[in-house]
Amino acid sequence: MIDPVLLEISAEEVESLATGVNLVWMLAATFLIFFMHAGFAMLEAGQVRSKNVANQLTKNMLTWAVGILVFFAIGMGISNNVGTILGGGSGSSALTQFGVDGGYDMAEILFSAVFAMTAATIVSGAVAGRAKLRAYVTYTFLLAAVIYPVVAAMVWYAPGADAPILDSLGFADFAGGMVVHGVGGVAGLTAAWILGARMDKYNDDGSVNIIPGHSLTFAVLGTLILCFGWFGFNVGTAATVFNPESAADGVLELGDFGYVGSVAIVTALGMGLGALGASSVSLALNGKVDTLYVANGMLAGLVGVTGPTDLITPMGAIAIGFIAGAQLPIVFKLVDEKLKIDDVCAVFPVHGTAGMLGLILYPLWSLEGTAIGGGVISGGILSIEASAFAPQIIGVAVITIWTVAATAAVWGAFKAIGEARVTPDHERDGLDLAEHGVDTYPEFGGPDVATDGGYTDDKAIRTDGGEVNEEKRSSSELRADGGEPNDGELKLVTAIIRPDRLGAVKKGLAEIGAPSLTVTNVSGRGSQPAKKGQWRGEEYTVDLHQKVKIECVVADIPAGDVVDAIADAANTGEPGDGKIFVIPVEGAYQVRTGNSGQDAV
């Protein structure tokens, strides 16, 4: 405690200092939690197919854009009023937060809003690849306005009442293990169940087709961003730097920083043990440590310790984190293979069951419990608070029932009027094109590539680094035998090669004076043997290999030279290097100039 007399400052100055420091701390934690949206965007984008990436990113951005407005204008007011009514209090709060004091009160509303938006954005990962954008945005509106605020009202917000209704029963959820993550996970599972699975996910006999996401890199990057932001989630909730009550009396006294270190280590342990738990079960089930399970396990461990983060010992964080991670592969397989619910980003085992287990099991390692086990870590292997089990189970059950009922009503209504899901054609083509008209991964080409077979104005170096060989392009050059290249005919040279050899082939073609070509991404099979892949521990066969098809029509350059250039550049000496075909071309026509035949090429 700091004596203000020694600092020679007034009581009003002490209060201002305490308020300012507390406000900065709250806003810093808020900004960390907001940054978690970048993590969710990357995590979900990595777990969907490339044709749905832009749709997933758009949903994440619109979740915040719609949610912050709705929660500020409606949700926070609904939460306060419902909390007061359910808590048995009197009076009412404003339904909108417009006009609220622009200082600390507004910061608290923003802090509440980032929690609400976290619950909302979790749902997008479960319904990826088939939900209509308008349906998802409408659901986000209702979740931010009513569904989440009612849950928060039962646990956290009840101005004018002694305590929120579930809190008064003894239910504890410190940082949102169930209020935020449980709601998101349960809502996501419910919405995915109502929507039905993606096309081709399940065969007629019920067997599962594995649909891998397009980028593990994105998924892992998103995971680590979420882990970073999670310290704002837990530690930011834990701490108020200076006690506001003592500051009002002119005394600077540390607030909740007495246990902020414990919350930080519990968070870190949960994160690590979640990854170890998922890794262990993945290894036992599949014989390999699945990368995506490790990433999802880290998040499941964090969710597991988030609810009771201020209530458990470090031993509790180790145990709950490991259990939350270990249940992930098991619950995912149950949902995916037995219940036949297509939860694309595994939001239910990551956020749903992990949050439930953490809150229900925490009394086994409670700081308030009776130590058992000889003081291994902070009070024993176990530290049981038996009286806490019943309130925790009741609270988890009430929140689950409300979330399932509300979510099923909304998505069921969408489905009934045919507005829940995109058409089969749109789903097959991908939501990036159908919903947004964009191609997230445009194909090849650049501004300095002459698409009509001519040169760039400034004779620029091509994008592959090879320069146009002017001498090779001269059609006036005579062959030694007195004939013309290709016997005066047009030839189409088509090559199927490894994607990683494209740069070398482009350079080789440019060097012989044949820079004009068409490149297409293709897949196929030939002499290259099939491979085995894994996605969340499930093995699938890769017998259609990714290749690049190069097409080059030549007139004044011998087709044999083109074949030799491609073959030399594409050769690795391994099966799967590809094939080259030479086909006569009956005619050609250049759109821009009207030239035909050899002049068009």
Side-chain angles (χ1 to χ4, degrees), residues 196-209 211 335-343:
R198 288 168 291 174
M199 295 173 63
D200 303 324
K201 173 65 177 177
Y202 298 104
N203 298 315
D204 293 339
D205 61 0
S207 58
V208 181
N209 290 319
I211 304 178
V335 170
D336 195 49
E337 299 176 6
K338 302 298 182 182
L339 300 181
K340 298 293 189 293
I341 299 176
D342 188 11
D343 180 359

Side-chain angles (χ1 to χ4, degrees), residues 266-307:
V266 162
T267 301
L269 286 170
M271 180 195 309
L273 270 295
L276 292 179
S279 300
S280 300
V281 174
S282 174
L283 186 62
L285 292 177
N286 311 305
K288 295 180 181 178
V289 176
D290 185 86
T291 303
L292 192 56
Y293 272 147
V294 176
N296 289 164
M298 293 182 78
L299 300 180
L302 281 165
V303 173
V305 300
T306 289

Side-chain angles (χ1 to χ4, degrees), residues 51 129 199 421-431 433-434:
K51 63 183 180 180
M199 295 173 63
R421 185 165 180 154
V422 299
T423 65
D425 286 343
H426 285 178
E427 185 174 345
R428 190 176 293 110
D429 293 340
L431 302 193
L433 286 173

